[in-house]
Amino acid sequence: MFFAEIQGESVSISVLGWLGLAAAIAACAWLRRKHASSRRIYQELFDEAPIAYHEIDRRGVVRRVNRAECQLLGLSPCEMLGRPVWEFVSEEERETSHRAVLRKLAGEQPLAPFLRAYQRRDGRKVLVEIHENLIRNGRGRIVGIRSAMLDVTEREHARGQMEAQARELERANRELAEALAASRRATQLKDQFLANVSHEIRTPLHAILGMADLLATTALDAQQQEYLRGLRESGQILLELINDLLDISTLEAGRLKLECAPFDPCEVLRSVAELMQLRAKAKGLELTCRLDPRVETRVLGDAGRVRQVLLNLAGNAVKFTERGHVRLSVTCTGESHRHLRLRFTVEDTGLGIAPEHQAILFESFVQGDGSNRRRYGGTGLGLAISKRLVELMGGRIGCESRLGEGSTFWFELELEKAPRADSGRPTCPEPADAAAPKPYRILLAEDNPINQKIALKMLEQAGYVAEAVNSGSEAVEAVKKAHYDLVLMDVQMPGMDGYEATARIRHLEGTHRHTPIVALTANAMEGDRERCLAAGMDDYLAKPVRRQDLYETIRRWLSSSEATMRVTVTLSGSENRERRGTARSE
């Protein structure tokens, strides 16, 4: 038993008691060392952390700050400790920061990450993202805030640039969309303008050329025939100009569609040579046509567009050649099992083209020499149209020329061979006979008095019985009252137009009857033909109409209608015979 004096009193302590007291003292000393070590480790971590940290007390005063934050703000710890935290915030946000800190310390505002601009010693501002958590004492009372700050100046600057770029891109897209819409509106207005101009020019031009055709059937002296030739040539030039303008507009808009049907390249070349023969003869030129014997196979393609290119090239050759010859040729430059490579050539001994002009020869509204336009006329669109058509068909076009010696224009196409069933060369059809085999009745729906008179006269000369009405509604009423073998339908008429009139006629006929309806219209834009056929018409003729084209179209549809009627009558007769046979057997 040991005795110890505690607070002036003698207390007896056993040996075990002394041992427990010693152990408790030792444990307290170990805990103090452990706590000091933890505080040292925490302080080291706090000071050496790569992220800026600071702690504030209940008054918002900085009580602890690490090295990273001092470096971020360009201040020393002594300059930061003991000062309110909002004093380091940029001046424009200082008051906002002050109120927010006090509300958070009072527990009145929840904690959430936020951005704040701080002021460095050098005056430069840094934008930081702040993450906070509350410091509480043992009784849970808020005694401060610990904050971690990330420098996001560059990130936010980059984000700002991206947002600015996004806004700029959105603005550019909006302007582009507006420009595209304006461009589409302008294109629609241009197309509408071209369609209106084409219609308004073609209508009187149809009258001019039609009257010239009728005049040619009368007795004329030599001087009158010369006047008539000038009238026809001028009208044809005007028609070619309109067609060129429509073609270049359609090509530029990318709306031209190519046909794909079997055709004979040699026949196309021969037909072009025949068309150009009169012009060449009038100028005293020799026009020849040379065909490669290897080109014996029919091919698939758009014969009309190939003919158009050849007519452009041959027309230019005749126009710009004063003496000598013009030669048209087609040769085979390569052949495979399925394809044939053809080279069409137009050679002349005309003016020739200077080298500096050859580079721009296939551009729109360009002629080799400006003086040629004054001397020979023309728009300079023919070669540009030819180039685009050839490229649209997958080919290429070119020119070889020497000034004063002549030119050779050529284009190459690789075309698929037609199936064997179509490979044989067809026999040429007999030309249409102007005299009708019997007095067919034809209804003409046309509101223009002059064009009405021309068409009626042409039909009368061909032996047809023709009647005319002035509108679509009159056409419908006429079909209701009488039978007609064919209807020639204008499209643009006052009141009911040709489309609606055709639909009404088809509704009246039902499935028991089908009168051929041929559009005879000045609407010649791309898509007009398809629109007429979609409305229920059977064929389409664009004004001005050549007499021979009109006769051929009428003859073809009347023949087709007759064949259909014969088949119907034959089938009906067979049915009647079958019924009579059945009755006899019963």
Side-chain angles (χ1 to χ4, degrees):
M1 180 73 69
F2 296 91
F3 294 91
E5 186 173 344
I6 299 176
Q7 294 182 354
E9 296 183 6
S10 178
V11 180
S12 64
I13 303 175
S14 66
V15 174
L16 291 176
W18 279 108
L19 291 174
L21 181 60
I25 294 172
C28 288
W30 182 84
L31 288 173
R32 281 196 299 271
R33 290 194 301 273
K34 191 70 174 176
H35 180 67
S37 175
S38 298
R39 287 181 62 85
R40 186 172 62 255
I41 292 171
Y42 170 77
Q43 188 63 42
E44 290 175 357
L45 290 172
F46 185 84
D47 290 337
E48 301 299 329
I51 298 175
Y53 281 104
H54 68 254
E55 292 180 2
I56 60 173
D57 61 14
R58 281 186 55 80
R59 296 176 300 159
V61 175
V62 178
R63 293 304 180 188
R64 183 179 291 177
V65 64
N66 71 348
R67 187 177 294 112
E69 185 162 337
C70 292
Q71 292 175 352
L72 177 64
L73 301 181
L75 300 170
S76 66
C78 295
E79 291 175 303
M80 296 191 66
L81 295 173
R83 295 174 60 186
V85 68
W86 50 82
E87 290 186 4
F88 306 106
V89 176
S90 63
E91 186 172 354
E92 58 270 17
E93 296 187 42
R94 194 166 295 164
E95 185 60 33
T96 302
S97 175
H98 184 188
R99 290 195 300 269
V101 168
L102 294 181
R103 283 198 301 271
K104 291 172 186 177
L105 288 169
E108 298 172 356
Q109 181 174 325
L111 305 184
F114 63 97
L115 299 180
R116 187 76 75 201
Y118 274 65
Q119 191 88 29
R120 285 176 52 88
R121 181 202 293 273
D122 57 12
R124 185 166 58 89
K125 293 178 182 179
V126 290
L127 189 65
V128 296
E129 182 177 293
I130 302 177
H131 297 259
E132 301 172 323
N133 64 292
L134 299 173
I135 304 173
R136 299 178 183 273
N137 60 15
R139 290 174 294 183
R141 183 181 177 186
I142 298 173
V143 295
I145 297 176
R146 184 179 298 109
S147 301
M149 301 196 306
L150 302 174
D151 184 0
V152 294
T153 306
E154 293 184 2
R155 186 193 76 184
E156 293 302 313
H157 178 67
R159 177 184 292 176
Q161 286 184 325
M162 289 179 63
E163 290 176 351
Q165 290 174 354
R167 288 192 298 271
E168 180 65 22
L169 183 60
E170 184 180 358
R171 183 190 63 79
N173 287 337
R174 188 166 55 251
E175 291 179 354
L176 182 61
E178 292 172 357
L180 184 60
S183 174
R184 285 174 176 165
R185 287 194 297 271
T187 300
Q188 290 173 352
L189 289 174
K190 183 191 75 172
D191 290 346
Q192 187 60 46
F193 172 75
L194 283 174
N196 291 340
V197 168
S198 172
H199 184 274
E200 295 305 315
I201 293 177
R202 283 175 183 275
T203 299
L205 187 59
H206 177 67
I208 293 169
L209 294 177
M211 284 293 186
D213 277 347
L214 293 176
L215 187 60
T217 62
T218 64
L220 302 174
D221 59 30
Q223 188 177 34
Q224 290 170 333
Q225 288 178 0
E226 184 180 351
Y227 293 160
L228 181 60
R229 278 196 300 272
L231 180 64
R232 279 176 155 177
E233 288 177 4
S234 298
Q236 193 62 36
I237 290 171
L238 182 57
L239 178 60
E240 290 173 1
L241 170 61
I242 297 169
N243 289 336
D244 283 349
L245 289 172
L246 294 182
D247 279 344
I248 199 69
S249 174
T250 305
L251 285 165
E252 286 179 347
R255 295 196 301 267
L256 187 68
K257 295 179 181 179
L258 296 175
E259 295 182 359
C260 184
F263 73 94
D264 187 339
C266 294
E267 286 297 327
V268 171
L269 193 72
R270 266 196 293 263
S271 69
V272 171
E274 290 173 2
L275 287 172
M276 301 306 302
Q277 194 66 248
L278 289 177
R279 293 192 196 178
K281 188 176 180 180
K283 296 185 70 174
L285 302 176
E286 179 189 6
L287 191 146
T288 58
C289 182
R290 187 174 61 196
L291 307 175
D292 188 339
R294 293 176 297 172
V295 187
E296 288 292 329
T297 306
R298 300 186 81 199
V299 293
L300 295 175
D302 194 329
R305 296 302 177 182
V306 174
R307 183 181 291 105
Q308 181 178 352
V309 176
L310 284 170
L311 282 171
N312 277 335
L313 300 183
N316 284 344
V318 173
K319 180 193 296 185
F320 296 113
T321 302
E322 296 299 329
R323 63 180 61 87
H325 65 263
V326 174
R327 291 198 181 104
L328 281 63
S329 65
V330 57
T331 57
C332 176
T333 59
E335 184 176 4
S336 66
H337 178 66
R338 294 185 56 188
H339 294 86
L340 203 64
R341 188 180 301 113
L342 302 177
R343 183 183 179 96
F344 295 88
T345 305
V346 178
E347 176 191 347
D348 65 63
T349 56
L351 301 174
I353 304 165
E356 62 270 20
H357 294 144
Q358 293 181 26
I360 59 172
L361 200 57
F362 291 97
E363 295 181 9
S364 298
F365 305 103
V366 170
Q367 289 183 339
D369 185 350
S371 62
N372 290 337
R373 181 175 298 178
R374 294 187 295 272
R375 182 178 179 186
Y376 295 100
T379 61
L381 286 173
L383 290 178
I385 293 171
S386 298
K387 181 175 186 293
R388 297 196 185 193
L389 287 175
V390 169
E391 291 176 348
L392 193 62
M393 291 185 285
R396 60 194 188 101
I397 190 170
C399 170
E400 299 158 6
S401 181
R402 295 185 66 178
L403 195 61
E405 296 184 11
S407 305
T408 299
F409 283 84
W410 56 267
F411 65 96
E412 290 184 347
L413 297 173
E414 185 167 334
L415 300 170
E416 186 178 351
K417 295 179 181 178
R420 289 189 178 275
D422 294 313
S423 61
R425 187 161 293 167
T427 58
C428 294
E430 294 295 325
D433 188 2
K438 69 174 187 178
Y440 291 100
R441 295 190 66 188
I442 296 178
L443 177 66
L444 171 67
E446 169 66 69
D447 65 307
N448 185 284
I450 298 176
N451 288 337
Q452 196 178 94
K453 183 183 296 185
I454 292 169
L456 288 175
K457 190 64 178 176
M458 286 183 176
L459 293 171
E460 178 189 335
Q461 289 178 348
Y464 297 111
V465 177
E467 300 174 18
V469 292
N470 300 307
S471 66
S473 58
E474 291 181 13
V476 175
E477 289 301 318
V479 171
K480 281 182 181 178
K481 296 175 182 177
H483 169 78
Y484 295 94
D485 298 292
L486 185 138
V487 177
L488 294 174
M489 182 74 73
D490 189 15
V491 170
Q492 289 192 8
M493 292 181 288
M496 185 186 296
D497 61 23
Y499 300 121
E500 186 178 350
T502 300
R504 296 276 186 95
I505 292 172
R506 294 296 181 230
H507 179 72
L508 288 172
E509 293 178 331
T511 59
H512 304 292
R513 180 180 163 198
H514 186 92
T515 303
I517 300 177
V518 178
L520 188 62
T521 175
N523 291 355
M525 294 289 288
E526 184 71 22
D528 284 332
R529 177 186 180 88
E530 290 73 15
R531 188 178 175 190
C532 289
L533 298 180
M537 301 183 196
D538 299 286
D539 211 334
Y540 167 93
L541 287 172
K543 296 176 183 175
V545 181
R546 292 172 60 247
R547 176 201 297 263
Q548 195 64 19
D549 292 339
L550 177 63
Y551 290 162
E552 172 61 27
T553 302
I554 292 174
R555 184 192 63 80
R556 184 173 66 252
W557 282 105
L558 290 178
S559 300
S560 173
S561 179
E562 270 195 341
T564 303
M565 289 177 64
R566 283 197 297 271
V567 170
T568 304
V569 170
T570 302
L571 290 175
S572 300
S574 300
E575 289 176 0
N576 291 334
R577 286 194 297 273
E578 288 179 3
R579 287 172 183 169
R580 288 197 296 270
T582 303
R584 282 197 298 269
S585 63
E586 289 177 352

